[in-house]
């Protein structure tokens, strides 16, 4: 039996979003213990030309919800990028998780053979098959931003590890 779209892409996305939510809890607790102001961490970045932590979380969520909506041809909710606190970031993750988990597996499967058109910058679009979009664009970008958020915390000395990032992989 071939692997489903949900199993191939969205099971990992869901797992990683849950892991990021738990990692944020750890980051908040450790920041409080170390007397680090939340704004300092939320604005941290790996390099000067990279986006800050808050934006990494926002983009992680965007790639998850956009992929689910575009592949399933469903309505894509708009999440304004207004988060300025850890609780607000956790709420964005929760909304993203709820949306991704609500997508019908049949809609994902039927969408995989169709074309997906999405913005590339403010005035350009790109069209590719849903399969190419998912495997070569959306999922790699999702993991890039999730990993970068994790790496920003590690760079700042937070005690999180690979098991935190993988979360419940061994419970599945």
């Amino acid at each position: 039996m071939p692997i489903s779209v949900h199993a191939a892409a969205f099971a990992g996305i869901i797992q990683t979003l849950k892991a990021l939510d738990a990692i944020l809890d750890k980051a908040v607790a450790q920041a409080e213990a170390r007397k680090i102001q939340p704004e300092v961490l939320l604005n941290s970045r790996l390099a000067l030309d990279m986006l800050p932590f808050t934006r990494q979380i926002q983009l992680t969520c965007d790639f998850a919800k956009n992929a689910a909506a575009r592949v399933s041809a469903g309505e894509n909710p708009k999440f304004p990028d207004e988060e300025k606190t850890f609780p607000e970031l956790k709420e964005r993750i929760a909304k993203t998780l709820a949306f991704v988990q609500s997508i019908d597996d049949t809609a994902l499967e039927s969408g995989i053979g169709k074309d997906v058109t999405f913005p590339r910058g403010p005035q350009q679009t790109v069209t590719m098959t849903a399969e190419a979009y998912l495997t070569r664009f959306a999922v790699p970008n999702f993991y890039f931003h999730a990993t970068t958020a994790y790496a920003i915390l590690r760079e700042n000395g937070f005690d999180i590890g690979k098991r935190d990032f993988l979360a419940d992989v061994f419970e599945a």
Side-chain angles (χ1 to χ4, degrees), residues 32-151:
E32 287 174 359
R34 293 171 54 196
K35 308 231 184 303
I36 297 172
Q37 293 299 314
E39 310 76 55
V40 172
L41 188 55
L42 293 167
N43 291 308
S44 291
R45 52 184 84 216
L46 289 178
L48 292 175
D49 63 347
M50 291 183 77
L51 296 170
F53 181 81
T54 296
R55 191 72 183 117
Q56 299 296 339
I57 297 293
Q58 291 167 340
L59 286 166
T60 300
C61 292
D62 287 349
F63 278 102
K65 76 170 183 66
N66 292 346
R70 290 176 179 148
V71 173
S72 70
E75 186 67 31
N76 194 350
K78 301 291 183 223
F79 297 165
D81 299 325
E82 300 172 341
E83 293 83 10
K84 293 180 180 18
T85 66
F86 281 102
E88 289 171 348
L89 288 175
K90 286 179 62 63
E91 177 60 28
R92 186 176 182 124
I93 292 170
K95 289 189 306 189
T96 303
L97 261 170
F99 176 72
V100 171
Q101 291 174 318
S102 76
I103 298 297
D104 180 61
D105 289 351
T106 304
L108 288 172
E109 293 300 326
S110 65
I112 205 67
K114 298 179 180 155
D115 283 346
V116 171
T117 300
F118 58 97
R120 183 175 181 203
Q123 299 181 5
Q124 196 175 12
T125 61
V126 175
T127 299
M128 57 178 62
T129 66
E131 180 181 343
Y133 166 76
L134 193 59
T135 61
R136 294 178 30 215
F137 183 78
V139 170
N141 272 287
F142 170 83
Y143 284 111
F144 173 85
H145 292 291
T147 302
T148 302
Y150 167 88

Side-chain angles (χ1 to χ4, degrees), residues 1 4 11 21 27 29 47-48 55 80 125 132 139 159 163 165-166:
M1 177 205 269
S4 71
D21 185 64
L48 292 175
R55 191 72 183 117
T125 61
V139 170
D159 185 21
R163 285 182 179 245
F165 188 83
L166 293 176

Side-chain angles (χ1 to χ4, degrees), residues 154-169:
R154 292 291 295 141
E155 172 68 20
N156 281 280
F158 284 77
D159 185 21
I160 55 172
K162 188 175 182 180
R163 285 182 179 245
D164 295 301
F165 188 83
L166 293 176
D168 63 352
V169 70

